[in-house]
Amino acid sequence: MRRMTARPGNAHQARLLKLLRDGGPNSRAQLGDQVDLSRSKLAVEVDRLLETGLVVADGLAASRGGRRSHNIRLNPGLRFLGVDIGATSVDVAVTNAELETLGHINHPMDVREGPVAVFEQVLAMAAKLKASGLAEGFDGAGIGVPGPVRFPEGIPVAPPIMPGWDGFPVREALSQELGCPVMVDNDVNLMAMGEQHAGVARTVADFLCVKIGTGIGCGIVVGGEVYRGTTGSAGDIGHIQAVPDGRPCACGNRGCLEAHFSGAALARDATEAAQQGLSAELASRLETGGGLTAVDVAAAAAAGDATALDLIREGGNRTGQVIAGLVSFFNPGLVVIGGGVTGLGHTLLAAIRTQVYRQSLPLATGNLPIVLGELGPAAGVTGAARLISDHLFSPA
Amino acid sequence: MRRMTARPGNAHQARLLKLLRDGGPNSRAQLGDQVDLSRSKLAVEVDRLLETGLVVADGLAASRGGRRSHNIRLNPGLRFLGVDIGATSVDVAVTNAELETLGHINHPMDVREGPVAVFEQVLAMAAKLKASGLAEGFDGAGIGVPGPVRFPEGIPVAPPIMPGWDGFPVREALSQELGCPVMVDNDVNLMAMGEQHAGVARTVADFLCVKIGTGIGCGIVVGGEVYRGTTGSAGDIGHIQAVPDGRPCACGNRGCLEAHFSGAALARDATEAAQQGLSAELASRLETGGGLTAVDVAAAAAAGDATALDLIREGGNRTGQVIAGLVSFFNPGLVVIGGGVTGLGHTLLAAIRTQVYRQSLPLATGNLPIVLGELGPAAGVTGAARLISDHLFSPA
DNA sequence: CTACTTTTTCCACTCACAGGACAAAGACGA
DNA sequence: TCGTCTTTGTCCTGTGAGTGGAAAAAGTAG
């Protein structure tokens, strides 16, 4: 299939494309119910979209009591590539234009190997997905990186955990390689967009999405739109001070949240506890595996290990304290917790909830759900697909 | 003069009204340069505005080399009332449609006397301004109250420091009394709007406005618009924990920022220090005045009193710590410090700056001005006038 | 007084859009 | 099977918003 290059010609067309993306196939009449355009105008715009090839007619819709109508749907041949580069692994997925995941693969990889090596990996994974028959090419790609991004240009700026990426023209380079439009964003923002599109945040306009992985970040959604801040570093909550004069952090300060709780901190604490003989469970895992990760702690906790549970609770308290402050400040309608350590599950969630509900004022917490993300590792790639589709489905 | 009741009939007219409000009198040609409408269309819309009486023709503009044009300006007879209800005093001001303050009076009053008593006072002050010939009536009024507000209805919700106001229909009641449209908002949000309209934040889209008065609050501006949160309590940073297991706070928790630094806390600390004989300066002021306030501390600090300076520095550190967290999270383009304690001036500012620049990451602080508000007590009333003008200058 | 600018008005033309009329296609009861 | 009703899709015309050219009006500069 020839790749699509068309873009909606006006706001109406953009609106229709987004309705079809979010609501699936629809008849003209159903679309008409949603957009407040006259039937004639609607017909014109739909015809134009059909001409561009972005949408296709597709069989008959169910009858609503009278003449049956033909369905309109986004071209089922359209393909988006969603890429989520984490600190320690890469996720790549293919979606159709309705952002349904058709294929998803994960590969461990250290982001510090630098953009060239990571790109090679990403392209290999994309090729693999193509080879398995899921796509012949891509109409657009979204990519998330674990650090701040100058959003309009798609260039990482001063990313602490991926120094080799500073200033690397990610958008431009990937666009060259893939031959399609590309948008770049912070991985946390993409997770927020993913949960907004297909997860727990579907109906909420203002929410926070806290991602606890190797580091800690927070996606901020205001009025349905991701807020990125003046320099693209909004949501960088890993270096908020959680413990006065606490542990030294890589950033040079002491007591940063990330130094006390994160995938990396948790692994280190668990190893220490195991070596000090505080937990037989952790010690045996340390011996078997040669090292401990957040996954081991989760498993130990699930097995009832008191030390592991304490570590999680302690971390949840720290995180909850910081989130409580953010809740007071931002007064969100929902807080989503996600990222690698969601395996820690309800122990973590309970600790966070306790802190937030205790420390923030009732007006802010009264009707505030604090929940785990629904999409897991798919949130990032779904958000990435959503990012590029938002771009492509906007007037040029 | 008959009060204006007209509203702009479409978005173009609204746009023009706001240009005239923010930019003062303009010729048709100058307006045309700013709005991207054809000359004919512009002429039509201006004519309609002239018909409504919202704008008037007003003399000749300076020549730009050819035929001189007639100026168009907002009707100079329009009057807005700006009301800023603080914890311990009430400010009322009259502005014209360009939001220039024509008269401003202040009256000490405890907000806890309740809405009826306060309204009586506000109406008396408004009457006084009228009597002095500044206005014959009001075309709209904005009012700020020191607590969270359900914005669309203009009703305070669960305000901690003004319990008697909970659920009181401020907007409705004041609108009845004044016979004009009224909008109600949190006083901190109005301060932010004031500084945005006429103060230091004129050119910044995303900024924070921290008001330190009897309590502490923070106005949040995202993309030029005030962000109020899901329940209207966004920016309520007074009860963020600044000191683990710190002082007990009226909210039931310990270590809230407000318990450690605010007008009230500062007065209490100063009194304590004076009684313990730590500062002769403060002790003598305590004896003379019968009590100490933030103003006394400011004066003592200005006189070089070490204890007063320490108190201010200590408070600034606490506040700076909290602000540092907010800066990491929100990545604003500017932080404005305002409110009653701005009298503490540069000692306070320096302490805050030190903390923020030390604790937040360079990417967020790199180009981040932290400045005192420019408008002082006028910020609130200017913001209030701005609030109602934004409302009235939008299509009905 | 002339040449040139800028501002303003006037007017004809285009285009988006609404909404009515009508045809097409199916549902459903008799 | 037939006729009626409902829904859907197409065609067409009227309306109003808006553009841009032409010319008049009112200046400036020399």
Side-chain angles (χ1 to χ4, degrees), chain A:
Chain A
M1 168 182 163
R2 210 181 69 259
R3 290 297 107 201
M4 295 295 131
T5 55
R7 293 277 289 275
N10 59 41
H12 297 309
Q13 292 177 26
R15 179 84 200 286
L16 291 171
L17 289 173
K18 286 177 185 169
L19 279 174
L20 291 170
R21 178 191 65 187
D22 301 340
N26 263 274
S27 69
R28 284 168 151 84
Q30 282 173 311
L31 288 174
D33 294 343
Q34 298 172 74
V35 295
D36 193 43
L37 283 176
S38 66
R39 278 167 312 175
S40 20
K41 177 63 179 163
L42 180 68
V44 170
E45 297 299 355
V46 170
D47 285 347
R48 286 188 193 150
L49 285 175
L50 285 167
E51 270 173 43
T52 65
L54 284 170
V55 307
V56 298
D58 169 54
L60 291 168
S63 166
R64 293 203 295 185
R67 170 177 175 176
R68 296 179 63 192
S69 62
H70 291 263
N71 261 340
I72 304 294
R73 67 179 305 172
L74 288 168
N75 189 325
L78 289 170
R79 290 292 178 273
F80 294 139
L81 188 71
V83 180
D84 186 0
I85 298 179
T88 58
S89 73
V90 175
D91 281 84
V92 177
V94 181
T95 76
N96 59 15
E98 282 150 13
L99 308 193
E100 292 162 345
T101 304
L102 306 178
H104 181 171
I105 50 183
N106 173 287
H107 196 88
M109 169 150 223
D110 191 326
V111 69
R112 282 169 300 184
E113 291 185 30
V116 176
V118 171
F119 269 34
E120 219 164 275
Q121 179 63 40
V122 166
L123 291 172
M125 292 165 83
K128 190 168 155 195
L129 288 166
K130 270 205 242 183
S132 61
L134 296 173
E136 295 170 26
F138 300 107
D139 302 283
I143 176 167
V145 296
V149 170
R150 205 156 67 221
F151 184 70
E153 297 92 353
I155 298 178
V157 276
I161 69 164
M162 38 190 277
W165 292 67
D166 191 10
F168 187 85
V170 173
R171 180 181 184 175
E172 180 61 26
L174 198 63
S175 181
Q176 286 281 328
E177 294 286 349
L178 291 171
C180 66
V182 172
M183 294 289 282
V184 187
D185 203 347
N186 185 303
D187 61 338
V188 185
N189 292 341
L190 293 190
M191 175 179 161
M193 293 181 80
E195 292 290 348
Q196 183 186 28
H197 181 80
V200 284
R202 263 177 299 238
T203 58
V204 191
D206 306 308
F207 68 94
L208 298 180
C209 189
V210 178
K211 181 174 180 179
I212 311 173
T214 304
I216 291 194
C218 176
I220 308 171
V221 175
V222 176
E225 299 280 317
V226 171
Y227 172 77
R228 300 187 171 83
T230 300
T231 57
S233 78
D236 199 346
I237 63 173
H239 300 278
I240 291 182
Q241 193 181 61
V243 181
D245 288 318
R247 296 190 190 150
C249 175
C251 75
N253 280 311
R254 304 183 73 88
C256 294
L257 175 59
E258 225 171 84
H260 287 265
F261 187 62
S262 66
L266 191 59
R268 192 197 51 213
D269 289 353
T271 308
E272 206 169 293
Q275 285 165 345
Q276 292 180 358
L278 295 174
S279 159
E281 177 80 29
L282 288 173
S284 95
R285 286 177 180 276
L286 177 57
E287 205 150 327
T288 324
L292 288 175
T293 69
V295 177
D296 294 303
V297 181
D305 181 76
T307 306
L309 285 170
D310 275 352
L311 284 176
I312 296 172
R313 264 195 294 264
E314 169 90 7
N317 284 341
R318 302 283 186 217
T319 312
Q321 236 166 68
V322 170
I323 295 181
L326 303 183
V327 165
S328 294
F329 172 73
F330 185 71
N331 186 21
L334 170 71
V335 175
V336 182
I337 310 288
V341 301
T342 38
L344 306 176
H346 286 274
T347 310
L348 175 67
L349 194 59
I352 292 178
R353 280 182 175 152
T354 304
Q355 288 296 324
V356 174
Y357 291 143
R358 187 164 65 195
Q359 282 195 22
S360 296
L361 293 183
L363 183 58
T365 58
N367 199 10
L368 174 68
I370 302 177
V371 298
L372 292 177
E374 209 169 81
L375 267 41
V381 289
T382 303
R386 160 85 188 228
L387 176 69
I388 188 65
S389 83
D390 267 350
H391 177 70
L392 293 177
F393 291 171
S394 297

Side-chain angles (χ1 to χ4, degrees), chain B:
Chain B
M1 168 182 163
R2 206 177 75 258
R3 289 298 109 202
M4 294 296 130
T5 56
R7 294 276 288 277
N10 60 39
H12 296 310
Q13 290 177 27
R15 178 85 200 285
L16 291 171
L17 288 173
K18 286 177 186 168
L19 279 174
L20 290 171
R21 177 191 67 187
D22 302 340
N26 262 276
S27 70
R28 282 167 152 88
Q30 283 173 310
L31 288 173
D33 293 344
Q34 299 173 73
V35 295
D36 194 42
L37 284 176
S38 65
R39 294 178 310 264
S40 11
K41 178 62 180 164
L42 179 69
V44 170
E45 297 300 354
V46 169
D47 284 346
R48 286 189 192 149
L49 285 175
L50 286 167
E51 271 173 42
T52 66
L54 282 170
V55 308
V56 298
D58 169 53
L60 291 169
S63 168
R64 295 204 291 183
R67 171 177 174 176
R68 295 179 64 189
S69 61
H70 291 263
N71 261 341
I72 304 294
R73 66 179 306 173
L74 287 167
N75 188 323
L78 289 169
R79 290 292 177 272
F80 294 139
L81 188 69
V83 180
D84 186 1
I85 298 179
T88 57
S89 72
V90 175
D91 281 85
V92 177
V94 182
T95 76
N96 60 13
E98 282 150 13
L99 308 192
E100 292 163 345
T101 303
L102 306 178
H104 181 170
I105 50 183
N106 173 288
H107 196 87
M109 169 151 223
D110 191 326
V111 68
R112 284 170 299 184
E113 291 185 31
V116 177
V118 171
F119 270 34
E120 219 165 274
Q121 179 62 39
V122 167
L123 291 173
M125 291 164 82
K128 191 169 154 195
L129 288 166
K130 269 206 243 185
S132 61
L134 295 173
E136 296 170 25
F138 300 106
D139 301 282
I143 175 167
V145 296
V149 170
R150 205 155 66 221
F151 185 71
E153 298 92 354
I155 297 179
V157 277
I161 69 164
M162 38 189 276
W165 292 66
D166 192 10
F168 187 85
V170 172
R171 179 179 184 176
E172 179 62 26
L174 198 63
S175 181
Q176 285 280 328
E177 294 286 350
L178 290 171
C180 67
V182 172
M183 293 289 281
V184 187
D185 203 346
N186 185 302
D187 61 339
V188 184
N189 292 341
L190 294 190
M191 175 180 160
M193 293 181 78
E195 291 289 349
Q196 183 186 28
H197 180 80
V200 283
R202 263 177 299 237
T203 58
V204 191
D206 306 308
F207 68 94
L208 297 180
C209 188
V210 178
K211 181 174 180 180
I212 310 173
T214 304
I216 291 194
C218 176
I220 308 170
V221 176
V222 175
E225 298 280 316
V226 170
Y227 172 77
R228 300 187 172 84
T230 300
T231 57
S233 77
D236 198 347
I237 63 172
H239 300 279
I240 292 182
Q241 194 181 61
V243 181
D245 289 317
R247 294 188 191 155
C249 175
C251 75
N253 280 312
R254 304 183 73 88
C256 294
L257 175 59
E258 223 172 86
H260 286 265
F261 187 63
S262 64
L266 192 60
R268 192 197 51 214
D269 289 353
T271 308
E272 207 169 292
Q275 285 165 347
Q276 291 181 358
L278 295 174
S279 158
E281 177 81 29
L282 287 174
S284 95
R285 286 177 180 275
L286 176 58
E287 203 152 331
T288 325
L292 288 175
T293 70
V295 177
D296 294 303
V297 181
D305 181 76
T307 305
L309 285 170
D310 275 351
L311 285 175
I312 296 172
R313 264 194 293 264
E314 168 91 6
N317 284 341
R318 303 284 186 214
T319 312
Q321 236 164 69
V322 170
I323 295 180
L326 303 183
V327 165
S328 294
F329 172 73
F330 186 71
N331 186 20
L334 170 70
V335 175
V336 182
I337 311 287
V341 301
T342 37
L344 306 176
H346 286 272
T347 309
L348 175 67
L349 194 59
I352 292 178
R353 280 180 175 156
T354 304
Q355 287 296 322
V356 174
Y357 290 142
R358 185 163 66 194
Q359 282 195 23
S360 296
L361 293 183
L363 183 57
T365 57
N367 198 9
L368 174 67
I370 302 177
V371 298
L372 292 178
E374 208 170 82
L375 267 42
V381 289
T382 304
R386 161 84 187 227
L387 176 69
I388 188 63
S389 82
D390 267 349
H391 176 69
L392 294 177
F393 291 169
S394 298

